[in-house]
Structures are given as structure tokens and as C-alpha cells.
Amino acid sequence: MVLDTYEDFKVKFYKYTGLDLNCYKEAQMKRRIESFLSKKNCSGYAEFMRMLEDDRKLCDEFTTYLTINVSEFYRNPNQWSILETVVIPELIKNNSSGSIKIWSAACSTGDEPYTLAMVFNEMCPRGNFEIIATDIDMDIIRVAKKGRYSERSIKGLPNKYIDKYFSRNLDGEYIISDRLKQFVTFKQHNLLSDRFPSDVDLVVCRNVLIYFTEDAKDMIYRNMYKSLKKDGVLFIGSTEQIMGSRDYGLQPLRSFFYRKF
């Protein structure tokens, strides 16, 4: 008899893709998967797993759907204001290496790392910073590298950045300038299994960990602590907070910002 349960699917899907669904909140993840199955007129997990194995394009589409790629430029402006007025000046003051290293984790379509590049380029005019932008979804990384966005994507971005760092094509898309792209390196990365970057001044990981279990978040926060330099800063999303942050070697700096001590 062919078993057809969510537990069986998680095991088979992990073996096939390396994506561990045990680390995501179960009720939330099951709703998303079952919605996808319904759209594909699929009767159950076993049949769906066979479909994924037979169709790599479908598997890539499903992975993109699961990893919840939602992003926009300058999301939550008040937080970006704190980054500009409080956090970046401190990072510059405390930096002794001459170059600031930023990691945009789970960067989705690139809105966040390009926003970071704009902000840092205004405050570090000699370009003494670098941004590593990572995501688990290779298709989304390919989109991010192109740097093409709709008017809706940039609706919250201050005009000073739009005027300076974008051009428009005949289709009405906003195109990131090549001189800004040079500051951002995109890489595939799995927060649950891959080695984290080291000696980072600023880690930006926003509105992502809300989808993970408490055990998975615990592991990720501990790895982010190791990733940061002393006095480095972790910037999280407006829907998140780190309970017991000092247990991870992190102390609140401002709302949604934590400094490594």
C-alpha cells in the first residue's frame, strides 16, 4: 500500500530537494501545500510527489511558491530611517577594517539588497562596503540579478533614490543602474543547512523567520550570532521579535535592531 500522508511527503521531498519542511510551521505549510495541490487538480501527496519527480519545472515552481517570496523596496520606512540615522553611523564609527560587510539573508527578488546598496552608497560615498544577498530559490536569484521592477515595487522608495539609481525601459520597468549592481553579490543559500557568511557588520533578515519553527529559529539566531562581528547588528522584520535575545549574545539596540555583545 502506498502511504499518502504529509509526514511521508516531507521525507520524500527532503530527499529530492534538500528542503526540510520539518523546520517550517506545520499548519501554515500544510495549508500552502494543499492549496497548491488543489490548483494542480492533484488527489494527494503521493501523486504530487511523483509529479514533482517527473517535472523539474513544476518542482522549481513549487519551491518558489513554498519559500514565500514577498519583498518591496524600502519596506517599513521608519525602520530604514533608524538604519540610516543610528545604525549605519555606528557601524562606520566602529569599523576598523575599512570596509563594511552586509548580508541580506532570504533576499527574494533583490528589493532589499538594492535598497541597502542605495542607502550605504549615500553614506559611504567611497564605496567601501559590500553586500552579500542570498536566497534558497535560484529562480528568484536570477530575477534579482536582472534588477527590473514594476512601478508598484518601488512605490515606497524616496524619489531621491529612484531618480539617482533607476532608468526606465520602453515597457515601463524600472531598471537598477549597473553602478549600483556592482556592490551586490547574489548567491544561493539555505538558512537551515548551509554555512553562514563570517565577519559580517550587518545582517538583514526580515519577515522570514516567522515561517519557521522555534527550534529552527533558535539554530538560525545562534548561527547569526557567529556570523556577526563584535558590535555587529542584526536587523529583523516588523512582525518579529527575539525573545530572550541576550541568550543569543544579542542586545536590543532599537526596535527590530539587535547588537552583538
Side-chain angles (χ1 to χ4, degrees):
M1 179 177 68
V2 176
L3 297 177
D4 192 14
T5 68
Y6 180 60
E7 293 300 317
D8 298 318
F9 177 77
K10 287 192 295 184
V11 172
K12 293 175 183 177
F13 186 69
Y14 176 69
K15 288 180 179 178
Y16 187 60
T17 67
L19 185 60
D20 188 357
L21 299 182
N22 286 308
C23 295
Y24 294 83
K25 294 177 180 176
E26 182 169 313
Q28 193 174 53
M29 188 57 67
K30 285 180 73 174
R31 283 196 301 270
R32 291 184 63 79
I33 294 173
E34 288 166 7
S35 174
F36 193 91
L37 265 63
S38 177
K39 291 176 183 177
K40 299 299 179 181
N41 297 313
C42 185
S43 62
Y45 291 114
E47 179 189 353
F48 184 55
M49 191 65 232
R50 288 193 295 271
M51 291 170 62
L52 295 179
E53 291 171 338
D54 291 341
D55 188 342
R56 189 69 217 186
K57 186 176 180 180
L58 176 64
C59 188
D60 291 341
E61 177 190 349
F62 178 60
T63 301
T64 297
Y65 171 80
L66 278 191
T67 50
I68 316 168
N69 292 289
V70 177
S71 188
E72 63 185 61
F73 284 85
Y74 219 70
R75 188 175 184 178
N76 309 117
N78 290 340
Q79 294 173 27
W80 286 96
S81 177
I82 292 171
L83 181 73
E84 293 172 86
T85 60
V86 178
V87 177
I88 294 178
E90 285 201 15
L91 292 177
I92 293 172
K93 182 180 71 174
N94 294 333
N95 186 272
S96 59
S97 66
S99 180
I100 295 174
K101 186 174 181 180
I102 306 114
W103 176 26
S104 173
C107 68
S108 188
T109 50
D111 311 45
E112 180 179 272
Y114 287 134
T115 301
L116 287 164
M118 295 175 204
V119 171
F120 271 90
N121 197 47
E122 295 299 307
M123 302 188 72
C124 305
R126 288 184 291 179
N128 54 341
F129 67 93
E130 61 172 316
I131 299 170
I132 303 166
T134 65
D135 200 276
I136 193 173
D137 187 341
M138 199 63 213
D139 286 339
I140 288 297
I141 290 175
R142 282 189 277 268
V143 170
K145 285 181 176 180
K146 292 178 182 177
R148 298 183 176 186
Y149 300 93
S150 68
E151 187 171 359
R152 179 176 173 274
S153 295
I154 65 165
K155 67 182 187 298
L157 194 61
N159 287 331
K160 66 177 182 178
Y161 293 133
I162 297 173
D163 295 341
K164 187 171 183 177
Y165 295 111
F166 289 87
S167 61
R168 294 190 75 177
N169 64 16
L170 295 177
D171 295 325
E173 292 177 309
Y174 287 77
I175 314 298
I176 291 284
S177 69
D178 287 339
R179 65 193 177 100
L180 195 73
K181 285 182 178 180
Q182 69 179 328
F183 295 113
V184 185
T185 302
F186 289 97
K187 299 179 180 179
Q188 188 175 31
H189 182 271
N190 187 337
L191 284 168
L192 300 171
S193 60
D194 291 338
R195 182 186 296 274
F196 283 26
S198 59
D199 297 320
V200 178
D201 294 279
L202 174 67
V203 174
V204 184
C205 186
R206 307 174 71 213
N207 307 305
V208 176
L209 300 190
I210 53 173
Y211 301 109
F212 289 105
T213 64
E214 293 304 313
D215 286 344
K217 285 193 285 189
D218 179 79
M219 176 188 70
I220 291 169
Y221 286 139
R222 293 186 188 284
N223 283 333
M224 285 181 171
Y225 168 84
K226 295 175 185 176
S227 186
L228 285 165
K229 293 179 180 176
K230 186 180 183 301
D231 295 322
V233 174
L234 170 62
F235 179 14
I236 64 173
S238 60
T239 58
E240 300 166 321
Q241 60 177 320
I242 305 177
M243 303 301 293
S245 61
R246 296 189 68 85
D247 293 339
Y248 299 108
L250 301 169
Q251 60 185 3
L253 176 60
R254 293 287 192 278
S255 295
F256 315 113
F257 292 90
Y258 296 83
R259 183 195 282 121
K260 176 176 177 175
F261 63 84

